[in-house]
Amino acid sequence: MSPQQKNEIISLLSIIAISALLGAVFDLSFLFVAVTLFVYILFMLRNIFRLHNWLLNRKKDLPDAQGYWGEIFNELYLIEKKTLKQKKLLSGALSRFKKAAQALPDGVIILSQYNEIEWVNPIANNLLGINTKKDKGQKINNLIRHPDFQRYLIKSNFSKTMTIPSPANIDNILTLQIIPFGYKQKMIFCRDVTHVNKLEEMRTNFVSNVSHEMRSPLTVLTGYLEMFSNKLPDDETSFKLGIDNMYQQAARMQRLVTDLLALSKMETAPVEHTKTVNVAALLISLKENAEVLGQDKHQTILLEADESLNLRGNTDELHSLFSNLINNAVRYTPENGEISISWKKLGKQAVFSVKDNGPGIAPQHIPHLTERFYRADIDRSRESGGTGLGLAIVKYAIERHDGQLDILSKLDEGSSFSCYFPEQRLILNSSNNAA
Ligand code: ADP
């Protein structure tokens, strides 16, 4: 028993004793004690009602009282103050948590123990198409209906993530992971992995394409080598044909490896484009190479280059870029065709372009031409010694020089490949002595 409670009992007993003594004077002790107790009960009731009223409306101040009731109200006041402080701390922590979850790059959903949506961050709204206002309280399995998710939700072990197409956009791939917390509550983390999936798909396709490209020359080579190891052909013509074929296939593999190495170098090497490249001089030598490459076709190759216009960049990458476009024009343009190469200023930019009057490219192929191993005309590409990587290299090299590739082509009329370089890449020289 607390000292206050002892005091209250002592006070009550004292009042009863005093009223009994007073009553004894008039010989009415019983009546005096009864009246005193009645007044005491009224006093108690009044304070109980005041307490109850305050409990019904906690916004009001606590009632004032003396003695034991004063102590009770004081204790209540201290408890109320502590609760308010804790509430403030909690709501501060909650709002900090919400802010942190809102800033997360991943989607977050908080579920009740019955898998009902309690809270969703904006990323999860977008990724899963959840509308916080409308869907709050809804069961998550009514919104994400994919069977794999339904199975995952009833599992007890969530250590692994799961992957599903987004219910908001079937083309987007999401990974989800459930993290249990509190009393049977769950938190779902979701992330858009469409890009990663595409990269993985590209990697697998790339490996299978390279293997496919290598397989046919290797089959030819091993076929001839097997034949020759069994018995060398008697006549010189068959022998020479075999050697020629082997040479062509080996050269094809060599071109493929060279192109693959060029691509991988551009993918991994940091962009170090500090050299001043004399584009006009480079184009003169590439034009000479092109004339040798197409010497049997009697094509007309024209070059118009602004000698005062240099590029800040990487000589090897620009060499690859220009030579791939020029050589493609030579390879695809038939006999007596015309090819024009130009390098000039166009407004603030500079443009390198190669035009030919060759077979042209059908419009459906144009957006895919810079993909690795994409060929608009497979037979023509292989016949002319193509690897299918030329325009992929061109695209990389242009991007690494902050430029843009523009392809215009019409079937049976010809093609035009133009590369635009921005102002900050240009160096104008009146007397040209760049590399
Ligand atoms: P390839 O080694 O097959 O030439 P590229 O990546 O250099 O590979 O070119 C991709 C495809 O674009 C080629 O297979 C060809 O179909 C088409 N192409 C490129 N340049 C020309 C051109 N000047 N005229 C017609 N088609 C072209």
Side-chain angles (χ1 to χ4, degrees), residues 1 12 14 59 81 122 151 159 168 189 193 198 200 235 275 301 306 317 327 354 372:
M1 195 181 283
L12 178 63
S14 312
K59 278 181 195 152
K81 215 170 131 186
R151 275 193 290 276
S159 57
F189 272 91
V193 289
K198 278 208 176 114
E200 180 55 26
D235 65 309
K275 268 206 166 167
I301 304 179
D306 182 343
E317 291 177 16
N327 293 350
V354 184
R372 291 159 193 206

Side-chain angles (χ1 to χ4, degrees), residues 259 324-333 354-356 358-361 365 368-378 380-382 384-394 409 414-417:
D259 280 358
N324 268 304
L325 291 179
I326 296 172
N327 293 350
N328 272 359
V330 172
R331 281 169 43 226
Y332 290 108
T333 305
V354 184
K355 280 193 189 119
D356 65 58
I361 307 158
H365 295 301
H368 303 286
L369 291 181
T370 54
E371 289 169 17
R372 291 159 193 206
F373 298 111
Y374 189 91
R375 289 157 167 124
D377 186 329
I378 296 175
R380 215 177 262 158
S381 161
R382 293 235 167 96
S384 61
T387 58
L389 293 172
L391 292 182
I393 293 175
V394 166
S409 189
S415 314
S416 150
F417 292 78

Side-chain angles (χ1 to χ4, degrees), residues 208-222 253:
S208 84
N209 279 331
V210 172
S211 324
H212 184 76
E213 292 290 329
M214 288 288 199
R215 198 185 302 139
S216 41
L218 278 173
T219 313
V220 177
L221 276 173
T222 44
M253 283 203 296

Side-chain angles (χ1 to χ4, degrees), residues 180-404:
F181 75 103
Y183 180 71
K184 290 188 181 173
Q185 277 193 279
K186 294 183 186 89
M187 187 154 32
I188 303 182
F189 272 91
C190 58
R191 176 175 289 184
D192 188 344
V193 289
T194 319
H195 184 62
V196 182
N197 258 39
K198 278 208 176 114
L199 279 179
E200 180 55 26
E201 202 181 307
M202 269 170 68
R203 195 191 61 82
T204 325
N205 284 346
F206 182 69
V207 171
S208 84
N209 279 331
V210 172
S211 324
H212 184 76
E213 292 290 329
M214 288 288 199
R215 198 185 302 139
S216 41
L218 278 173
T219 313
V220 177
L221 276 173
T222 44
Y224 276 113
L225 287 172
E226 215 175 283
M227 197 167 91
F228 288 176
S229 69
N230 286 337
K231 188 178 180 292
L232 282 176
D234 297 331
D235 65 309
E236 201 180 315
T237 330
S238 315
F239 185 64
K240 189 159 180 318
L241 184 80
I243 296 288
D244 279 353
N245 271 339
M246 282 199 281
Y247 175 74
Q248 272 172 23
Q249 298 305 326
R252 187 174 153 192
M253 283 203 296
Q254 197 177 19
R255 279 195 300 276
L256 192 68
V257 171
T258 310
D259 280 358
L260 284 171
L261 283 176
L263 260 180
S264 103
K265 201 173 160 192
M266 276 196 271
E267 268 177 346
T268 48
V271 186
E272 272 177 31
H273 295 148
T274 46
K275 268 206 166 167
T276 303
V277 181
N278 183 339
V279 177
L282 182 59
L283 293 181
I284 290 169
S285 90
L286 290 177
K287 182 192 171 223
E288 282 165 11
N289 293 349
E291 279 162 350
V292 175
L293 181 73
Q295 60 188 347
D296 300 334
K297 288 179 154 183
H298 312 290
Q299 296 160 331
T300 310
I301 304 179
L302 305 167
L303 170 66
E304 204 184 309
D306 182 343
E307 288 182 11
S308 66
L309 190 58
N310 294 328
L311 256 185
R312 195 164 46 79
N314 178 299
T315 317
D316 290 344
E317 291 177 16
L318 290 172
H319 182 282
S320 278
L321 193 174
F322 299 145
S323 67
N324 268 304
L325 291 179
I326 296 172
N327 293 350
N328 272 359
V330 172
R331 281 169 43 226
Y332 290 108
T333 305
E335 279 182 26
N336 304 316
E338 194 175 291
I339 294 156
S340 346
I341 308 162
S342 80
W343 167 243
K344 59 183 180 204
K345 260 203 109 189
L346 193 78
K348 287 187 172 174
Q349 295 181 308
V351 59
F352 162 77
S353 71
V354 184
K355 280 193 189 119
D356 65 58
N357 59 356
I361 307 158
Q364 71 272 20
H365 295 301
I366 293 180
H368 303 286
L369 291 181
T370 54
E371 289 169 17
R372 291 159 193 206
F373 298 111
Y374 189 91
R375 289 157 167 124
D377 186 329
I378 296 175
D379 292 340
R380 215 177 262 158
S381 161
R382 293 235 167 96
E383 262 168 38
S384 61
T387 58
L389 293 172
L391 292 182
I393 293 175
V394 166
K395 185 183 163 223
Y396 251 106
I398 293 184
E399 279 173 4
R400 284 165 67 88
H401 286 80
D402 311 314
Q404 257 184 312

